[in-house]
Amino acid sequence: DSGVTQTPKHLITATGQRVTLRCSPRSGDLSVYWYQQSLDQGLQFLIQYYNGEERAKGNILERFSAQQFPDLHSELNLSSLELGDSALYFCASSAGTGFYEQYFGPGTRLTVT
Amino acid sequence: GEDVEQSLFLSVREGDSSVINCTYTDSSSTYLYWYKQEPGAGLQLLTYIFSNMDMKQDQRLTVLLNKKDKHLSLRIADTQTGDSAIYFCAESQGGADGLTFGKGTHLIIQP
């Protein structure tokens, strides 16, 4: 158990809908990262937050957004969903920025029908 | 751009050593990692190496880094059935960037 929790575990929704994925980092960790794992694209970094502020952006679509709250939990919002958004979404956390080990949560499996 | 390449499959006999290889293109990669993913699970950090190191050993795991060739390998000694998983190589430049992952190598253990 990495100490990172993600809810829900599974999510099934229809095209065009909007969903919110939630992540609670390990106790004491200030950085949260979101990754998408799909069969065709592999594991891709989406976005990082550090202590409530956006720190880095990866391959995140404009339809996706994220935020980190004062209690350090984070939410990833996915809107106007398409079939191709079906994937595993992982959250990871680390103590800070720079070199710190990233600990991954168990993931949320999103299926768009 | 950044790219990390791994072969997709590796099959070894139980008890033998497994060597999983990875190449990366970004010469500014500062940190290199190996993660393990078991079926239905998240990613578990196995080990990491800084770019100023050539080798790191941690129990059954040995990481070798050839910075000139941008080649990273993970050797698992005395491979067991519990080692069956997907192994991901990843790199970062530290700072604010997320990790760039390879596509993963499926390690298959034959009895």
Side-chain angles (χ1 to χ4, degrees):
Chain A
D1 185 353
S2 66
V4 178
T5 60
Q6 290 186 248
T7 56
K9 272 191 161 181
H10 302 276
L11 200 48
I12 301 174
T13 189
T15 53
Q17 295 298 304
R18 173 190 167 95
V19 296
T20 298
L21 313 184
R22 184 188 166 102
C23 167
S24 292
R26 291 188 325 152
S27 176
D29 282 0
L30 298 178
S31 268
V32 169
Y33 307 77
W34 287 97
Y35 292 86
Q36 180 196 58
Q37 185 178 35
S38 63
L39 279 173
D40 51 347
Q41 298 290 328
L43 258 168
Q44 289 199 93
F45 167 64
L46 296 179
I47 197 164
Q48 176 198 5
Y49 276 80
Y50 171 71
N51 205 19
E53 300 288 326
E54 181 184 303
R55 180 80 175 174
K57 261 185 174 176
N59 298 319
I60 190 165
L61 299 171
E62 283 193 16
R63 301 183 284 110
F64 296 0
S65 64
Q67 52 186 326
Q68 186 179 28
F69 294 87
D71 67 352
L72 301 175
H73 90 271
S74 177
E75 292 180 355
L76 179 67
N77 301 296
L78 315 175
S79 62
S80 303
L81 284 167
E82 301 174 1
L83 295 177
D85 298 326
S86 296
L88 255 177
Y89 290 84
F90 286 109
C91 168
S93 74
S94 69
T97 63
F99 175 74
Y100 286 96
E101 297 173 17
Q102 291 187 29
Y103 293 88
F104 280 72
T108 293
R109 182 169 291 283
L110 174 66
T111 303
V112 182
T113 62
Chain B
E2 303 159 3
D3 202 10
V4 178
E5 300 281 342
Q6 301 177 241
S7 52
L8 285 182
F9 295 95
L10 176 66
S11 179
V12 297
R13 287 182 185 268
E14 192 175 355
D16 287 352
S17 289
S18 306
V19 180
I20 303 170
N21 295 302
C22 167
T23 56
Y24 59 97
T25 57
D26 193 336
S27 57
S28 61
S29 296
T30 309
Y31 311 112
L32 296 135
Y33 309 80
W34 285 104
Y35 278 84
K36 176 183 181 183
Q37 185 179 30
E38 294 179 272
L43 282 85
Q44 174 195 354
L45 177 63
L46 287 178
T47 187
Y48 58 85
I49 189 167
F50 298 126
S51 60
N52 60 359
M53 298 167 66
D54 298 324
M55 185 180 99
K56 181 177 180 183
Q57 189 152 2
D58 185 359
Q59 300 183 333
R60 291 192 298 126
L61 305 179
T62 303
V63 179
L64 293 178
L65 174 60
N66 181 328
K67 201 174 174 187
K68 175 175 160 288
D69 294 338
K70 299 192 190 72
H71 181 268
L72 182 74
S73 68
L74 173 70
R75 179 177 177 269
I76 305 172
D78 186 25
T79 309
Q80 302 298 309
T81 53
D83 296 324
S84 181
I86 304 175
Y87 290 80
F88 290 92
C89 171
E91 64 87 26
S92 77
Q93 289 112 49
D97 290 340
L99 302 178
T100 300
F101 283 88
K103 291 276 168 83
T105 299
H106 294 243
L107 179 61
I108 300 159
I109 316 300
Q110 296 172 357

